[in-house]
Amino acid sequence: MPLWIATHLHSLPLDATRPHWSLDMAFAVLDQMRVLALTPAAAQAGIQAGMRRAGAAAIAPDVPLLARDPVAEEQLLQEAALALLQYTPEIAVAEPDTLLLKVDASLTYFGGPRRLQRRIAETLRGMNLHARLGMAPTAQGAWLLARQPRARGPRRALRIATLTRQLDALPCALLPPAAARLEWLHSIGCRTLGALRRLPRAGLQRRCGPELMQAMDTAYGAVPECHLWITPPARFQQRLELPDYIEHAEAILSWAQRLIEPLCGWLTARRLAVQHITLSIEHERGRHARPPTALLIRLAQPAWQAHHLLNLLRERLGRLPLEAPAIALCLQVDETVEQPEASTSLFPEPGGSLADHARLLDLLSARLGRERVLQPRPVADHRPEVANRWGPAQEADAPATASRQKRVSAKSARGTPVPPGRSIIGAGGVSRASNHPLGHIDTWAALPTASQPRFDLMDRPFWLLEPALALQVRHHRPVYAGQTLRLVRGPERIESGWWDAALTLRDYFVAEDEAGARYWIYRERDTENARWFLHGRYG
């Protein structure tokens, strides 16, 4: 059975004229010199809807009377429609201030109708929009439930029988085609939709026209409905004029949410994600003009969730000093990627999913700064002290470099033992294994046989010393902490760095002390007085 949610923006003229208004603020909006909408505080002052401007000014001279802004209302309605695309791709605009959402296909994903209704209400509340929501199996029925000003029960019906019972109790004045005949209907004692439905259809259609019967049958589900779904734009760029000067960056967050929520709805509808977004904070123009402040937010992985982007924006704005008051905000997305596929693994990751790890990196980078959140990045070089470097966890080219370096990291950063006299040429230079003057050393240099294990990759120590520690030599053997080390594996020859000043010519070994602790040591080569160095320790 289909299910619809109607979002009635009952205070759209007020929200567009003076955003962030509260119930204790008194003002009214005029359309053609008559009061179109007013706040509860203005109603307590004596102003009523439909009152002329002169009468309203005479009754409450202290209440501001503002002109209606249809352009701002249309923009706000489109922003709300884009934001609600996070929950369903089937959204229609019901003039002049209502959005119809077909949500029966989204119920399982969002945890049922009640949770979905709460999520939609929270999204609209985050955009500082005042709305009433109605849920019903028909779009017209949900529209009528949402438009009732004072509901005695929940504005929700999940079955046709429940919807019929709730609609019968509604005043017939809510049905637009009945407004022209309202006085006649009241004169015959017909004040509710239930009483209207019990009237003879033929006579009612002759007197009121077919539009009234069509609207009533559509609401009760007797005839099918047809709607035109909204289409998200090809590119996203939103600009928001602030009603007043904002001097503190933290206060920008509540206004930026009006841009973030439509962005996430647009991304969800087009199955896209962003890796970085730019929020431009515009300042005063004219003689005291200043260039906009560009706030770039980078993400470790592509994202399209509103709560994640808002958390990052909150952290960045909390550390941003505003050099001049802000007068406008502009959110621009220059590059998008396809949304990553959902995980198909049966069991969850033991330490959290990759998305959780990426969100943690984003939050730490926003809170501490990109230069303080680092991660190891392999470099195509055989020299151990160069092959692994620390870089920002959110480098702009991290995905590209990771894919390029994946092929060379195993051989260049770790090294591979090869037979004597043979070499592996890579981006970093030459890694060669050869016989050592110490004849007892097991080099594992022969080709693998059935009785001999094969070491495709030589292991590396967990802890690398920087710089390497010079060792003493006793009877031509390296000594560390007073103990003579026994060579158990090697040598692994590394020749690299011929293109810079750090030419490296070394023979690496795995050594053990008397307690069985293992060390990674090397001996200088091609020098008159070759020295031994400790370069790493195994865990």
Side-chain angles (χ1 to χ4, degrees):
M1 178 183 295
L3 191 63
W4 296 78
I5 292 181
T7 60
H8 173 44
L9 306 178
H10 56 87
S11 300
L12 187 60
L14 302 177
D15 296 334
T17 306
R18 183 167 289 182
H20 290 220
W21 65 274
S22 57
L23 297 178
D24 56 348
M25 296 177 60
F27 69 97
V29 176
L30 303 178
D31 184 26
Q32 296 181 358
M33 305 303 292
R34 288 184 178 273
V35 176
L36 174 67
L38 67 159
T39 62
Q44 292 180 359
I47 301 179
Q48 299 179 4
M51 185 178 291
R52 290 184 176 274
R53 178 188 180 93
I59 293 176
D62 297 333
V63 175
L65 303 176
L66 310 177
R68 184 184 184 185
D69 191 349
V71 177
E73 293 178 24
E74 179 65 23
Q75 179 183 356
L76 199 54
L77 187 65
Q78 294 299 325
E79 290 176 2
L82 279 179
L84 296 183
L85 285 173
Q86 301 175 69
Y87 307 108
T88 175
E90 299 174 322
I91 298 180
V93 178
E95 298 294 343
D97 51 9
T98 305
L99 298 173
L100 302 175
L101 290 74
K102 192 172 185 294
V103 297
D104 48 282
S106 307
L107 296 180
T108 304
Y109 182 79
F110 290 101
R114 289 173 177 80
R115 289 188 178 182
L116 177 57
Q117 192 172 8
R118 286 197 294 268
R119 288 279 298 270
I120 293 175
E122 290 174 0
T123 298
L124 296 174
R125 195 179 305 114
M127 299 177 65
N128 295 291
L129 295 176
H130 297 75
R132 288 194 294 262
L133 273 63
M135 180 182 294
T138 65
Q140 185 75 3
W143 184 83
L144 289 171
L145 293 179
R147 293 185 70 88
Q148 53 177 328
R150 296 179 180 85
R152 296 181 179 179
R155 297 185 176 91
R156 181 171 53 245
L158 304 182
R159 294 181 295 180
I160 289 292
T162 308
L163 175 63
T164 301
R165 187 170 58 252
Q166 292 189 11
L167 291 181
D168 285 346
L170 296 182
C172 56
L174 290 178
L175 210 57
R181 299 287 182 172
L182 196 59
E183 185 176 353
W184 172 74
L185 292 174
H186 287 177
S187 66
I188 62 175
C190 182
R191 295 182 176 274
T192 63
L193 292 180
L196 183 63
R197 197 161 61 96
R198 289 189 291 267
L199 294 177
R201 291 179 62 90
L204 186 62
Q205 184 169 349
R206 284 195 304 269
R207 183 176 292 271
C208 300
E211 293 82 7
L212 178 59
M213 303 303 302
Q214 178 72 21
M216 194 161 53
D217 291 342
T218 304
Y220 282 88
V223 296
E225 300 173 281
C226 184
H227 299 281
L228 180 63
W229 309 126
I230 66 170
T231 304
R235 295 192 61 183
F236 183 88
Q237 184 175 1
Q238 291 276 64
R239 189 175 180 276
L240 176 63
E241 288 279 352
L242 302 178
D244 202 353
Y245 288 97
I246 294 183
E247 299 182 354
H248 301 285
E250 296 87 347
I252 296 178
L253 180 65
S254 59
W255 296 97
Q257 190 168 357
R258 268 189 57 179
L259 303 177
I260 294 292
E261 293 286 359
L263 168 64
C264 296
W266 178 80
L267 292 172
T268 303
R270 300 188 67 88
R271 300 292 301 168
L272 298 174
V274 291
Q275 189 118 25
H276 57 82
I277 59 176
T278 302
L279 179 66
S280 298
I281 305 175
E282 300 180 8
H283 305 291
E284 191 174 358
R285 308 180 187 90
R287 188 173 61 180
H288 302 287
R290 301 181 66 94
T293 301
L295 187 62
L296 179 63
I297 299 178
R298 297 184 182 274
L299 294 92
Q301 284 189 349
W304 62 96
Q305 301 89 352
H307 63 88
H308 182 43
L309 296 178
L310 285 173
N311 287 338
L312 297 182
L313 191 60
R314 179 182 295 107
E315 296 294 339
R316 292 295 305 276
L317 288 175
R319 302 170 50 245
L320 177 69
L322 274 184
E323 299 180 357
I327 63 171
L329 302 177
C330 182
L331 184 63
Q332 185 173 357
V333 177
D334 298 325
E335 184 179 354
T336 57
V337 297
E338 294 289 337
Q339 286 188 11
E341 296 293 336
S343 175
T344 57
S345 60
L346 179 61
F347 301 103
E349 295 290 337
S353 64
L354 294 178
D356 296 334
H357 177 69
R359 282 193 287 268
L360 176 61
L361 284 181
D362 293 337
L363 186 61
L364 291 176
S365 299
R367 182 171 297 177
L368 305 176
R370 292 181 61 251
E371 68 281 354
R372 297 185 180 180
V373 181
L374 308 177
Q375 70 177 14
R377 296 195 178 278
V379 179
D381 200 305
H382 287 285
R383 292 169 292 182
E385 64 272 17
V386 180
N388 297 288
R389 293 181 180 178
W390 291 96
Q394 288 185 321
E395 279 188 357
D397 58 344
T401 22
S403 62
R404 287 197 305 267
Q405 294 174 352
K406 185 177 181 180
R407 299 187 299 270
V408 299
S409 60
K411 292 184 178 179
S412 64
R414 296 186 177 182
T416 304
V418 297
R422 300 193 180 183
S423 60
I424 298 176
I425 310 266
V430 181
S431 179
R432 179 184 296 115
S434 64
N435 293 327
H436 195 269
L438 302 178
H440 71 280
I441 299 174
D442 186 4
T443 63
W444 295 97
L447 292 176
T449 62
S451 60
Q452 187 179 34
R454 175 179 175 179
F455 289 86
D456 289 331
L457 294 178
M458 212 168 194
D459 56 347
R460 286 290 182 264
F462 181 76
W463 179 28
L464 197 68
L465 277 69
E466 186 180 359
L469 178 64
L471 299 177
Q472 297 180 355
V473 178
R474 183 186 303 160
H475 304 297
H476 304 288
R477 304 289 183 176
V479 176
Y480 176 66
Q483 299 186 40
T484 302
L485 301 180
R486 181 173 61 92
L487 306 181
V488 297
R489 188 182 303 165
E492 177 195 0
R493 179 159 294 175
I494 292 181
E495 298 178 2
S496 185
W498 51 266
W499 54 87
D500 55 29
L503 176 62
T504 299
L505 303 172
R506 302 170 183 168
D507 288 338
Y508 276 87
F509 300 86
V510 177
E512 283 186 355
D513 61 10
E514 297 177 0
R518 290 202 166 191
Y519 306 90
W520 201 42
I521 64 177
Y522 69 85
R523 181 177 183 273
E524 292 179 337
R525 193 170 59 84
D526 295 342
T527 59
E528 295 181 359
N529 299 314
R531 297 176 299 170
W532 288 90
F533 289 86
L534 173 62
H535 207 176
R537 298 189 61 174
Y538 291 88

